[in-house]
Amino acid sequence: MTSRRRTALSLGALLLATACTSAPHHDTTATAPPAPAEEPAESPSPPLAVHTLTSAEVQYGWWNWAAGSTADRSPVLDRSGRWCGEHQHEDIWYLAGTTGGGAVERTCAVPVGLPVLFPLVTMVGEAADCEVFMDRARGSATLDGAPLPSEPLGATRIQLHSVAGNAFGATVTESENIWSCGLWVRLDPLVSGSHELTLRGSTEEPAISVEVDYHLRAAVPTPTGAV
């Protein structure tokens, strides 16, 4: 392996529990004046049109999310789905997979109404690294048994803002001149309910094979964002 920085992974997904509100109770014994209207909850940012994002927007957004958590809270190193919601955005939901090391099964929540974005396999390094990587990268994904289309995105310059002790170690540090590439999946918002997502990815240099099975539940969060 050369001294160039490389990181490959394939990604997976997350779930959000639903919250229920009971019907209001009406007192039939007396007529009370109407209560003053409550201030409406602040509307969240509208979801991104995920299919219109450029290669730079896709790869910049995901890599800065993935490298924005320390290893002990990283969605990438997560074995159960506990950290699926770590540092998520208001207008898009990122999914994380692994850096190799065997199959992973995660249970995650995903908010209804947000598009989902993840790579099957991706890397950051130098532009020349991406040429070899894209020739050898393979991946597939299914949602509820149906195959999902993947999209190759070639070498794209991004600005990376990582935290110390992130999941990728010294190979992923802050840089204004780094290149990303990979196989990516863009999903429209999931319908409410349970979903099964499978991700498979592989690359030869470095040699990594990723298998992630996600048990997802798409649900509506409360106005405060609580589960």
Side-chain angles (χ1 to χ4, degrees), residues 22-70:
S22 58
H25 174 71
H26 298 282
D27 187 353
T28 59
T29 62
T31 302
E38 295 182 358
E39 290 294 327
E42 183 178 351
S43 299
S45 301
L48 290 177
V50 69
H51 297 287
T52 68
L53 296 178
T54 65
S55 176
E57 289 169 332
V58 167
Q59 301 194 75
Y60 168 87
W62 186 87
W63 269 106
N64 279 284
W65 169 75
S69 298
T70 54

Short mmCIF file of all heavy atoms in Angstrom, two decimals, residues 22-70:
data_model
loop_
_atom_site.label_atom_id
_atom_site.label_comp_id
_atom_site.label_asym_id
_atom_site.label_seq_id
_atom_site.Cartn_x
_atom_site.Cartn_y
_atom_site.Cartn_z
N SER A 22 -52.44 11.52 21.86
CA SER A 22 -53.81 11.08 22.08
C SER A 22 -54.78 12.15 21.66
O SER A 22 -54.45 13.33 21.58
CB SER A 22 -54.01 10.76 23.56
OG SER A 22 -53.71 11.89 24.35
N ALA A 23 -56.02 11.74 21.36
CA ALA A 23 -57.06 12.70 20.97
C ALA A 23 -57.38 13.59 22.15
O ALA A 23 -57.37 13.16 23.31
CB ALA A 23 -58.31 11.94 20.53
N PRO A 24 -57.69 14.86 21.93
CA PRO A 24 -57.98 15.76 23.04
C PRO A 24 -59.23 15.35 23.78
O PRO A 24 -60.18 14.85 23.18
CB PRO A 24 -58.11 17.13 22.36
CG PRO A 24 -58.46 16.82 20.95
CD PRO A 24 -57.76 15.54 20.64
N HIS A 25 -59.28 15.53 25.11
CA HIS A 25 -60.44 15.19 25.93
C HIS A 25 -61.39 16.38 25.99
O HIS A 25 -60.97 17.50 26.23
CB HIS A 25 -59.97 14.82 27.34
CG HIS A 25 -61.11 14.59 28.28
ND1 HIS A 25 -61.92 13.49 28.18
CD2 HIS A 25 -61.56 15.33 29.33
CE1 HIS A 25 -62.83 13.55 29.13
NE2 HIS A 25 -62.63 14.66 29.84
N HIS A 26 -62.65 16.14 25.76
CA HIS A 26 -63.66 17.20 25.79
C HIS A 26 -64.53 17.05 27.02
O HIS A 26 -65.05 15.96 27.29
CB HIS A 26 -64.53 17.16 24.53
CG HIS A 26 -63.75 17.38 23.28
ND1 HIS A 26 -63.33 18.63 22.86
CD2 HIS A 26 -63.29 16.50 22.35
CE1 HIS A 26 -62.67 18.51 21.73
NE2 HIS A 26 -62.62 17.23 21.40
N ASP A 27 -64.68 18.09 27.77
CA ASP A 27 -65.53 18.08 28.95
C ASP A 27 -66.96 18.36 28.53
O ASP A 27 -67.28 19.44 28.04
CB ASP A 27 -65.04 19.16 29.92
CG ASP A 27 -65.77 19.11 31.25
OD1 ASP A 27 -66.74 18.35 31.36
OD2 ASP A 27 -65.35 19.86 32.17
N THR A 28 -67.84 17.37 28.69
CA THR A 28 -69.24 17.51 28.24
C THR A 28 -70.13 18.09 29.32
O THR A 28 -71.32 18.30 29.11
CB THR A 28 -69.78 16.15 27.83
OG1 THR A 28 -69.69 15.25 28.95
CG2 THR A 28 -68.98 15.58 26.67
N THR A 29 -69.59 18.35 30.54
CA THR A 29 -70.42 18.83 31.64
C THR A 29 -70.53 20.34 31.67
O THR A 29 -71.40 20.88 32.33
CB THR A 29 -69.84 18.34 32.98
OG1 THR A 29 -68.54 18.88 33.14
CG2 THR A 29 -69.77 16.81 32.99
N ALA A 30 -69.66 21.02 31.02
CA ALA A 30 -69.71 22.48 31.03
C ALA A 30 -69.11 23.01 29.76
O ALA A 30 -68.30 22.36 29.11
CB ALA A 30 -68.94 23.03 32.24
N THR A 31 -69.53 24.20 29.40
CA THR A 31 -69.00 24.84 28.21
C THR A 31 -67.92 25.81 28.62
O THR A 31 -68.17 26.73 29.42
CB THR A 31 -70.11 25.59 27.45
OG1 THR A 31 -71.14 24.67 27.10
CG2 THR A 31 -69.54 26.24 26.20
N ALA A 32 -66.74 25.58 28.13
CA ALA A 32 -65.61 26.42 28.49
C ALA A 32 -65.23 27.28 27.31
O ALA A 32 -65.41 26.89 26.15
CB ALA A 32 -64.43 25.56 28.92
N PRO A 33 -64.72 28.47 27.57
CA PRO A 33 -64.26 29.31 26.45
C PRO A 33 -63.09 28.64 25.75
O PRO A 33 -62.33 27.90 26.35
CB PRO A 33 -63.80 30.60 27.14
CG PRO A 33 -63.49 30.19 28.54
CD PRO A 33 -64.48 29.10 28.88
N PRO A 34 -62.98 28.84 24.46
CA PRO A 34 -61.89 28.20 23.71
C PRO A 34 -60.54 28.65 24.22
O PRO A 34 -60.35 29.82 24.58
CB PRO A 34 -62.14 28.65 22.26
CG PRO A 34 -62.92 29.91 22.39
CD PRO A 34 -63.79 29.74 23.61
N ALA A 35 -59.62 27.70 24.28
CA ALA A 35 -58.27 28.02 24.72
C ALA A 35 -57.56 28.80 23.63
O ALA A 35 -57.84 28.64 22.44
CB ALA A 35 -57.50 26.74 25.02
N PRO A 36 -56.67 29.68 24.01
CA PRO A 36 -55.91 30.43 22.98
C PRO A 36 -55.07 29.48 22.13
O PRO A 36 -54.59 28.47 22.61
CB PRO A 36 -55.01 31.36 23.81
CG PRO A 36 -54.92 30.71 25.15
CD PRO A 36 -56.25 30.03 25.37
N ALA A 37 -54.97 29.81 20.87
CA ALA A 37 -54.22 28.95 19.96
C ALA A 37 -52.76 28.92 20.35
O ALA A 37 -52.18 29.94 20.74
CB ALA A 37 -54.36 29.46 18.52
N GLU A 38 -52.16 27.73 20.28
CA GLU A 38 -50.74 27.60 20.58
C GLU A 38 -49.92 28.10 19.41
O GLU A 38 -50.34 28.04 18.26
CB GLU A 38 -50.38 26.14 20.86
CG GLU A 38 -51.04 25.59 22.11
CD GLU A 38 -50.60 24.18 22.37
OE1 GLU A 38 -49.82 23.65 21.54
OE2 GLU A 38 -51.02 23.60 23.38
N GLU A 39 -48.73 28.60 19.73
CA GLU A 39 -47.82 29.01 18.67
C GLU A 39 -47.40 27.77 17.89
O GLU A 39 -47.05 26.74 18.48
CB GLU A 39 -46.58 29.67 19.27
CG GLU A 39 -46.84 31.03 19.87
CD GLU A 39 -47.23 32.05 18.82
OE1 GLU A 39 -46.74 31.95 17.68
OE2 GLU A 39 -48.05 32.95 19.14
N PRO A 40 -47.46 27.81 16.57
CA PRO A 40 -47.06 26.63 15.80
C PRO A 40 -45.58 26.33 15.97
O PRO A 40 -44.77 27.24 16.16
CB PRO A 40 -47.37 27.03 14.34
CG PRO A 40 -47.35 28.54 14.37
CD PRO A 40 -47.86 28.94 15.74
N ALA A 41 -45.28 25.03 15.95
CA ALA A 41 -43.87 24.64 16.05
C ALA A 41 -43.11 25.13 14.82
O ALA A 41 -43.66 25.23 13.72
CB ALA A 41 -43.76 23.12 16.15
N GLU A 42 -41.88 25.47 15.02
CA GLU A 42 -41.05 25.94 13.91
C GLU A 42 -40.89 24.84 12.88
O GLU A 42 -40.57 23.70 13.21
CB GLU A 42 -39.69 26.37 14.42
CG GLU A 42 -38.79 26.95 13.35
CD GLU A 42 -37.46 27.41 13.89
OE1 GLU A 42 -37.31 27.44 15.12
OE2 GLU A 42 -36.59 27.74 13.08
N SER A 43 -41.15 25.16 11.64
CA SER A 43 -41.06 24.17 10.58
C SER A 43 -39.61 23.82 10.31
O SER A 43 -38.75 24.72 10.26
CB SER A 43 -41.71 24.69 9.29
OG SER A 43 -43.07 24.97 9.49
N PRO A 44 -39.30 22.52 10.14
CA PRO A 44 -37.93 22.14 9.82
C PRO A 44 -37.57 22.57 8.41
O PRO A 44 -38.43 22.91 7.60
CB PRO A 44 -37.95 20.62 9.94
CG PRO A 44 -39.38 20.25 9.65
CD PRO A 44 -40.20 21.38 10.22
N SER A 45 -36.31 22.58 8.12
CA SER A 45 -35.87 22.89 6.77
C SER A 45 -36.44 21.88 5.79
O SER A 45 -36.56 20.70 6.12
CB SER A 45 -34.34 22.88 6.70
OG SER A 45 -33.78 23.81 7.60
N PRO A 46 -36.83 22.31 4.59
CA PRO A 46 -37.35 21.34 3.63
C PRO A 46 -36.29 20.35 3.21
O PRO A 46 -35.10 20.68 3.22
CB PRO A 46 -37.76 22.23 2.43
CG PRO A 46 -36.92 23.47 2.58
CD PRO A 46 -36.75 23.68 4.05
N PRO A 47 -36.70 19.13 2.86
CA PRO A 47 -35.70 18.13 2.47
C PRO A 47 -35.01 18.52 1.17
O PRO A 47 -35.56 19.22 0.33
CB PRO A 47 -36.54 16.85 2.28
CG PRO A 47 -37.93 17.36 2.01
CD PRO A 47 -38.07 18.61 2.82
N LEU A 48 -33.79 18.08 1.04
CA LEU A 48 -33.04 18.34 -0.17
C LEU A 48 -33.61 17.54 -1.34
O LEU A 48 -34.14 16.44 -1.14
CB LEU A 48 -31.57 17.95 0.02
CG LEU A 48 -30.72 18.81 0.95
CD1 LEU A 48 -29.33 18.20 1.06
CD2 LEU A 48 -30.62 20.24 0.45
N ALA A 49 -33.50 18.09 -2.53
CA ALA A 49 -33.80 17.33 -3.74
C ALA A 49 -32.58 16.48 -4.03
O ALA A 49 -31.67 16.88 -4.76
CB ALA A 49 -34.12 18.27 -4.89
N VAL A 50 -32.53 15.29 -3.41
CA VAL A 50 -31.30 14.52 -3.36
C VAL A 50 -30.79 14.13 -4.75
O VAL A 50 -29.58 14.02 -4.96
CB VAL A 50 -31.48 13.27 -2.47
CG1 VAL A 50 -32.44 12.27 -3.13
CG2 VAL A 50 -30.16 12.61 -2.14
N HIS A 51 -31.70 13.96 -5.70
CA HIS A 51 -31.28 13.54 -7.04
C HIS A 51 -30.67 14.68 -7.86
O HIS A 51 -30.13 14.43 -8.93
CB HIS A 51 -32.46 12.92 -7.79
CG HIS A 51 -32.99 11.68 -7.14
ND1 HIS A 51 -32.33 10.48 -7.17
CD2 HIS A 51 -34.12 11.47 -6.41
CE1 HIS A 51 -33.01 9.57 -6.51
NE2 HIS A 51 -34.10 10.14 -6.04
N THR A 52 -30.76 15.90 -7.37
CA THR A 52 -30.17 17.03 -8.09
C THR A 52 -28.82 17.45 -7.51
O THR A 52 -28.18 18.35 -8.05
CB THR A 52 -31.12 18.25 -8.06
OG1 THR A 52 -31.20 18.75 -6.71
CG2 THR A 52 -32.52 17.87 -8.54
N LEU A 53 -28.38 16.82 -6.45
CA LEU A 53 -27.10 17.19 -5.85
C LEU A 53 -25.95 16.87 -6.80
O LEU A 53 -25.94 15.84 -7.46
CB LEU A 53 -26.89 16.45 -4.54
CG LEU A 53 -27.87 16.75 -3.41
CD1 LEU A 53 -27.55 15.88 -2.19
CD2 LEU A 53 -27.85 18.22 -3.04
N THR A 54 -24.96 17.74 -6.82
CA THR A 54 -23.78 17.49 -7.63
C THR A 54 -22.88 16.47 -6.95
O THR A 54 -23.05 16.15 -5.77
CB THR A 54 -22.99 18.79 -7.83
OG1 THR A 54 -22.49 19.23 -6.56
CG2 THR A 54 -23.87 19.89 -8.44
N SER A 55 -21.90 15.97 -7.69
CA SER A 55 -20.95 15.03 -7.11
C SER A 55 -20.24 15.64 -5.92
O SER A 55 -20.04 14.98 -4.88
CB SER A 55 -19.92 14.61 -8.17
OG SER A 55 -18.94 13.75 -7.62
N ALA A 56 -19.86 16.91 -6.01
CA ALA A 56 -19.18 17.57 -4.90
C ALA A 56 -20.09 17.68 -3.68
O ALA A 56 -19.66 17.47 -2.54
CB ALA A 56 -18.70 18.96 -5.33
N GLU A 57 -21.37 17.99 -3.89
CA GLU A 57 -22.30 18.12 -2.77
C GLU A 57 -22.54 16.77 -2.10
O GLU A 57 -22.61 16.68 -0.87
CB GLU A 57 -23.62 18.71 -3.26
CG GLU A 57 -23.51 20.19 -3.63
CD GLU A 57 -24.74 20.71 -4.35
OE1 GLU A 57 -25.44 19.91 -5.03
OE2 GLU A 57 -25.01 21.92 -4.23
N VAL A 58 -22.68 15.72 -2.92
CA VAL A 58 -22.88 14.39 -2.36
C VAL A 58 -21.69 13.97 -1.50
O VAL A 58 -21.85 13.58 -0.33
CB VAL A 58 -23.09 13.36 -3.49
CG1 VAL A 58 -22.98 11.93 -2.96
CG2 VAL A 58 -24.45 13.56 -4.15
N GLN A 59 -20.50 14.07 -2.06
CA GLN A 59 -19.34 13.52 -1.39
C GLN A 59 -18.84 14.42 -0.26
O GLN A 59 -18.40 13.93 0.79
CB GLN A 59 -18.24 13.24 -2.43
CG GLN A 59 -18.75 12.26 -3.50
CD GLN A 59 -17.65 11.69 -4.35
OE1 GLN A 59 -16.91 10.82 -3.90
NE2 GLN A 59 -17.53 12.18 -5.58
N TYR A 60 -18.94 15.73 -0.43
CA TYR A 60 -18.58 16.65 0.64
C TYR A 60 -19.49 16.44 1.85
O TYR A 60 -19.02 16.34 2.99
CB TYR A 60 -18.68 18.09 0.14
CG TYR A 60 -18.61 19.13 1.24
CD1 TYR A 60 -17.39 19.61 1.68
CD2 TYR A 60 -19.78 19.61 1.83
CE1 TYR A 60 -17.33 20.57 2.70
CE2 TYR A 60 -19.72 20.56 2.85
CZ TYR A 60 -18.50 21.03 3.27
OH TYR A 60 -18.44 21.96 4.28
N GLY A 61 -20.80 16.37 1.59
CA GLY A 61 -21.75 16.24 2.69
C GLY A 61 -21.56 14.96 3.47
O GLY A 61 -21.51 14.97 4.71
N TRP A 62 -21.43 13.84 2.76
CA TRP A 62 -21.33 12.57 3.48
C TRP A 62 -20.00 12.43 4.22
O TRP A 62 -19.98 12.02 5.39
CB TRP A 62 -21.49 11.38 2.52
CG TRP A 62 -21.53 10.12 3.30
CD1 TRP A 62 -22.62 9.52 3.86
CD2 TRP A 62 -20.41 9.32 3.67
NE1 TRP A 62 -22.25 8.39 4.55
CE2 TRP A 62 -20.89 8.25 4.46
CE3 TRP A 62 -19.04 9.39 3.43
CZ2 TRP A 62 -20.05 7.26 4.99
CZ3 TRP A 62 -18.20 8.41 3.96
CH2 TRP A 62 -18.72 7.36 4.73
N TRP A 63 -18.90 12.78 3.58
CA TRP A 63 -17.61 12.60 4.23
C TRP A 63 -17.46 13.48 5.46
O TRP A 63 -16.89 13.06 6.48
CB TRP A 63 -16.47 12.86 3.25
CG TRP A 63 -16.05 11.60 2.54
CD1 TRP A 63 -16.31 11.26 1.23
CD2 TRP A 63 -15.31 10.52 3.10
NE1 TRP A 63 -15.79 10.02 0.96
CE2 TRP A 63 -15.17 9.53 2.09
CE3 TRP A 63 -14.77 10.27 4.35
CZ2 TRP A 63 -14.49 8.34 2.29
CZ3 TRP A 63 -14.09 9.07 4.57
CH2 TRP A 63 -13.96 8.12 3.54
N ASN A 64 -17.95 14.70 5.40
CA ASN A 64 -17.86 15.56 6.57
C ASN A 64 -18.77 15.08 7.69
O ASN A 64 -18.45 15.24 8.87
CB ASN A 64 -18.16 17.01 6.19
CG ASN A 64 -16.95 17.70 5.58
OD1 ASN A 64 -16.02 18.07 6.27
ND2 ASN A 64 -16.96 17.84 4.26
N TRP A 65 -19.89 14.46 7.35
CA TRP A 65 -20.73 13.83 8.38
C TRP A 65 -20.02 12.62 8.98
O TRP A 65 -19.94 12.48 10.20
CB TRP A 65 -22.07 13.42 7.78
CG TRP A 65 -22.88 12.55 8.69
CD1 TRP A 65 -23.58 12.95 9.79
CD2 TRP A 65 -23.07 11.14 8.59
NE1 TRP A 65 -24.20 11.87 10.39
CE2 TRP A 65 -23.89 10.75 9.67
CE3 TRP A 65 -22.63 10.16 7.70
CZ2 TRP A 65 -24.28 9.42 9.88
CZ3 TRP A 65 -23.02 8.85 7.90
CH2 TRP A 65 -23.83 8.48 8.97
N ALA A 66 -19.50 11.74 8.15
CA ALA A 66 -18.90 10.50 8.63
C ALA A 66 -17.64 10.74 9.45
O ALA A 66 -17.35 10.00 10.40
CB ALA A 66 -18.57 9.59 7.44
N ALA A 67 -16.88 11.77 9.10
CA ALA A 67 -15.64 12.08 9.83
C ALA A 67 -15.86 13.09 10.93
O ALA A 67 -14.90 13.54 11.55
CB ALA A 67 -14.59 12.60 8.85
N GLY A 68 -17.14 13.42 11.19
CA GLY A 68 -17.44 14.43 12.20
C GLY A 68 -17.70 13.88 13.58
O GLY A 68 -18.03 14.65 14.50
N SER A 69 -17.59 12.56 13.77
CA SER A 69 -17.80 11.93 15.08
C SER A 69 -16.53 11.22 15.51
O SER A 69 -15.77 10.70 14.67
CB SER A 69 -18.94 10.91 15.01
OG SER A 69 -20.16 11.53 14.67
N THR A 70 -16.31 11.18 16.80
CA THR A 70 -15.18 10.41 17.32
C THR A 70 -15.48 8.92 17.20
O THR A 70 -16.64 8.51 17.05
CB THR A 70 -14.93 10.76 18.79
OG1 THR A 70 -16.14 10.59 19.54
CG2 THR A 70 -14.44 12.19 18.93
#
